Amino acid sequence: VAPEPADAPITPTDSMATAARKVLAAQYAAMQACEETAREGADPEGVHDMRVAVRRMRAALRVADPYLGGKAVKRVRQDLREIAHALGAVRDLDVLIKNAENFRDDLPDDRQTDLAPLLDAWKGARKRARKQLIRLLDSADYARFRKHMAAFLAEEDAPPAAEAASKEAAQAEVAPYQVRHVLASALWERYEAVRAYETVMADAAVPQLHALRITGKYLRYTLEFFRHVLPAEAGALIDDVVTLQDALGELHDADVAAGLIREHIAAAYPRRKKAPAEPPPGLAAYQADREAALRRICAEFPATTWPRLVGADWRARLAAVSAAV
């Protein structure tokens, strides 16, 4: 995804609302830059990059939510949710299909066709998801989204209530709203949401690990959004959160694939006279592979990736980075 334009970096004295607009302007430009590739469909990275840009915009709005208001931001938030859903439906199937094809290619030649019905079903679902995506991109709703985004990016900050009040009463309390005053608490709020999973990590359920993956994204994006005002040491913190996301992303992919394979087997190879379904060996091997990957990551993650982010050293580094603004 394209970085922020060089002429519009976030500064410590920006309001959080201004910072959010700068992030959205950059990510909106990135989204537009890959829209044609996403429409064509030949390169799946077009949909991926467009989806990442939308995710970042949604994250920026969430981080800056206490400092934003008005109809424009509400409309943009609703529009982005719909666009994210359409892009996600295509991207998730792209990943499923690619992983299944890689597994198939490693099977013996006489077993590779065992995955054909599953792949055909997923490719059919992707075709339908792509039609829905193109329909959305060609819709009047999407045209209105562009207008909503333009209106939001053109807005100027309203003065904080306390600042307005101070014009009438010199002793009025001044509320913090600039990046330099609130970024530290924004970072720690995101980190606290991640660290809360300490309470379940000894026996974390898969849905909880999925939720942690999403929570970790908000920490990562917040660090990335404000990288211009943070010291260089923030880069290593971002790398650690990316490692967490990668591990839990692999878990998510394995879990989704395993569930869909089970559904496919149940539908395509129904039980007969209480006998278990007997899918082709190649398909059964793929199901076993995905279930094994799920068990492996669930076992490894709490002992490897997780301790680094909840250790005292990581917290000290985050404290040093956040205090430097």
Side-chain angles (χ1 to χ4, degrees):
V1 175
E4 289 182 24
D7 59 346
I10 293 173
T11 67
T13 55
D14 280 340
S15 70
M16 288 293 284
T18 293
R21 289 190 184 90
K22 288 182 176 181
V23 172
L24 260 74
Q27 297 306 321
Y28 183 46
M31 175 185 173
Q32 291 176 303
C34 53
E35 182 178 324
E36 183 177 353
T37 305
R39 283 177 174 273
E40 292 172 351
D43 182 359
E45 291 306 304
V47 168
H48 171 63
D49 291 345
M50 193 172 178
R51 184 190 192 188
V52 170
V54 170
R55 278 180 168 175
R56 289 173 181 268
M57 284 189 277
R58 296 183 73 193
L61 290 175
R62 182 167 179 171
V63 171
D65 184 67
Y67 311 95
L68 295 171
K71 293 182 179 179
V73 67
K74 183 178 180 180
R75 290 193 296 254
V76 166
R77 187 180 287 111
Q78 292 171 340
D79 294 338
L80 288 173
R81 185 186 305 116
E82 183 177 1
I83 296 167
H85 179 76
L87 290 165
V90 177
R91 177 58 183 173
D92 289 346
L93 284 160
D94 281 340
V95 172
L96 282 166
I97 292 167
K98 180 62 175 176
N99 289 343
E101 288 177 338
N102 289 341
F103 184 86
R104 176 202 61 192
D105 293 345
D106 289 336
L107 287 171
D109 291 346
D110 62 341
R111 293 301 180 197
Q112 292 189 5
T113 57
D114 290 354
L115 267 65
L118 176 70
L119 282 167
D120 288 345
W122 286 355
K123 288 177 181 179
R126 179 178 62 182
K127 185 177 181 179
R128 293 189 293 274
R130 280 199 54 80
K131 285 183 178 179
Q132 292 177 353
L133 173 61
I134 299 304
R135 190 178 299 119
L136 173 62
L137 296 179
D138 289 338
S139 69
D141 286 343
Y142 192 72
R144 280 191 291 270
F145 157 68
R146 293 180 182 276
K147 293 181 180 180
H148 295 162
M149 180 64 77
F152 172 69
L153 295 177
E155 281 186 346
E156 295 185 0
D157 290 354
E163 181 180 318
S166 67
K167 294 180 180 179
E168 301 178 4
Q171 301 303 315
E173 179 181 357
V174 177
Y177 66 94
Q178 291 184 344
V179 168
R180 59 182 173 174
H181 299 146
V182 301
L183 177 55
S185 60
L187 287 169
W188 280 100
E189 180 181 355
R190 299 300 175 275
Y191 178 68
E192 288 162 2
V194 169
R195 194 181 175 196
Y197 286 82
E198 279 183 317
T199 59
V200 298
M201 191 54 61
D203 191 27
V206 171
Q208 291 172 321
L209 293 175
H210 289 333
L212 173 58
R213 176 178 59 90
I214 295 169
T215 302
K217 284 181 182 179
Y218 288 108
L219 174 59
R220 170 191 173 180
Y221 289 159
T222 306
L223 284 164
E224 289 180 343
F225 293 155
F226 296 97
R227 199 164 185 171
H228 282 100
V229 299
L230 295 172
E233 290 76 9
L237 299 180
I238 293 170
D239 290 343
D240 289 339
V241 184
V242 170
T243 299
L244 175 143
Q245 282 187 270
D246 287 346
L248 295 180
E250 184 183 354
L251 179 144
H252 175 265
D253 293 344
D255 184 41
V256 171
L260 291 176
I261 295 167
R262 285 193 295 270
E263 291 178 6
H264 174 78
I265 290 174
Y269 309 96
R271 298 168 64 95
R272 295 180 179 177
K273 296 181 180 180
K274 299 183 179 181
E278 295 184 1
L283 180 57
Y286 189 44
Q287 180 184 13
D289 175 84
R290 295 294 78 202
E291 291 174 347
L294 185 61
R295 291 191 299 272
R296 172 180 57 79
I297 300 167
C298 285
E300 291 179 354
F301 179 81
T304 55
T305 307
W306 176 248
R308 183 174 181 83
L309 267 77
V310 294
D313 176 70
W314 208 92
R315 295 197 299 276
R317 289 159 57 207
L318 179 62
V321 163
S322 61
V325 180

